[in-house]
Amino acid sequence: AYNLVGKIPHKQFIFSKLMLGKNATSDEIKSFKHLGYPYAFEPDADTGAAVLRLGENQTYRPEELVAFVLSYAKQIAENHAGGKAEIKDAVITVPAYFRETERRAMLSAASIAGLNVLSLMHEQTAFAFKYGFDKEAEFSVDEPTNIVFYNMGASSFKVSVVAFSRVVGKKNRTTGSMAVRGVAYDETLGGRNFAAVVTDMLIEHFEKTHPKASSPRTSAKAMGKLRKEAERIKDVLSANTQFQVGIEGVHEDRDIRMVIKRADFEERAS
């Protein structure tokens, strides 16, 4: 979707999972406008839930958008399995902070996608389970191994502490065991916030360099192009001290040429 946000930004719905189970007036829905996404939300007439307006006669519920993603994942899984069998059952991960409304919305999305959900599992628990499965032989019977899982996602920040050990069973056979000791999270801090910092830096430079042009903020296509480039710049700066930016035809046939230093980015993001 990010590859098309600069061409058809109104039809590329990013972070649809965040819209699940949200009221049209919720802070989560308002954050899309604050971050510059050109989405038109309106309340459902019966429930007040957020609905996306796409054109005069077309709307999408968040469950439908997430269902598109799940259907694609289902297709990938079936192809990976050789395409000989249809996948009907699934375990789907959700953030630990998902409430009952969000969880029910996810189940509805899965149903639309033709999936029978066996369980909804916390994302951090799923990560820990995979880690424990791979590292089982390294754990001790006598003393648990405590591991911290740090996850800075696109829209939220999550940390969990999980204790791993091995338990002796029948015939002295050992099996892996894990216990989640604690989970903490920030629902509002994620990679998209850091990308927004880079986007602001690009816009400020454009407005300073081209004072006679209108602001890129007035153009959904320009904002989509800048947002896509900001994601790339953010990734490059994670491994480099600076980056030479060159974006052609950003807005009103004007370009951006500048150097962004990691130190400046970190200062703005702090």
Side-chain angles (χ1 to χ4, degrees), residues 73-106:
K74 178 175 180 286
Q75 179 183 347
I76 292 175
E78 289 172 344
N79 291 338
H80 185 71
K84 298 180 179 179
E86 180 184 5
I87 293 178
K88 298 180 180 179
D89 300 324
V91 174
I92 298 178
T93 62
V94 295
Y97 54 78
F98 258 26
R99 302 164 186 83
E100 184 66 21
T101 52
E102 287 101 324
R103 293 170 187 270
R104 287 186 179 278
M106 178 61 80

Side-chain angles (χ1 to χ4, degrees), residues 8-200:
I8 46 175
H10 293 88
K11 296 183 179 181
Q12 298 304 306
F13 301 118
I14 311 296
F15 305 121
S16 55
K17 184 176 72 173
L18 300 183
M19 306 174 192
L20 288 174
K22 301 297 192 304
N23 189 284
T25 58
S26 66
D27 291 339
E28 293 87 352
I29 296 300
K30 291 179 181 178
S31 72
F32 284 94
K33 181 178 181 179
H34 175 71
L35 293 172
Y37 291 91
Y39 302 153
F41 290 100
E42 60 185 52
D44 181 89
D46 297 323
T47 65
V51 175
L52 273 160
R53 167 66 63 179
L54 182 61
E56 183 177 351
N57 301 313
Q58 190 174 16
T59 60
Y60 283 106
R61 294 186 295 119
E63 292 90 333
E64 294 175 298
L65 299 178
V66 174
F68 290 145
V69 179
L70 293 176
S71 295
Y72 182 57
K74 178 175 180 286
Q75 179 183 347
I76 292 175
E78 289 172 344
N79 291 338
H80 185 71
K84 298 180 179 179
E86 180 184 5
I87 293 178
K88 298 180 180 179
D89 300 324
V91 174
I92 298 178
T93 62
V94 295
Y97 54 78
F98 258 26
R99 302 164 186 83
E100 184 66 21
T101 52
E102 287 101 324
R103 293 170 187 270
R104 287 186 179 278
M106 178 61 80
L107 292 174
S108 177
S111 178
I112 294 172
L115 289 171
N116 174 48
V117 179
L118 301 177
S119 176
L120 292 178
M121 180 181 290
H122 288 170
E123 292 171 345
Q124 296 295 96
T125 303
F127 302 153
F129 181 82
K130 178 62 169 63
Y131 178 87
F133 184 82
D134 292 338
K135 301 288 186 178
E136 180 181 342
E138 300 178 13
F139 301 139
S140 170
V141 174
D142 302 319
E143 185 176 354
T145 300
N146 296 312
I147 303 292
V148 175
F149 292 89
Y150 169 100
N151 178 20
M152 173 61 76
S155 60
S156 60
F157 170 52
K158 297 162 286 241
V159 178
S160 61
V161 178
V162 183
F164 296 94
S165 61
R166 285 193 294 168
V167 178
V168 179
K170 295 180 179 179
K171 298 182 180 180
N172 289 326
R173 293 181 178 178
T174 59
T175 56
S177 175
M178 60 174 271
V180 178
R181 299 301 189 189
V183 178
Y185 48 80
D186 186 334
E187 301 178 48
T188 63
L189 176 63
R192 67 173 184 166
N193 301 95
F194 294 104
V197 171
V198 179
T199 302
D200 288 342

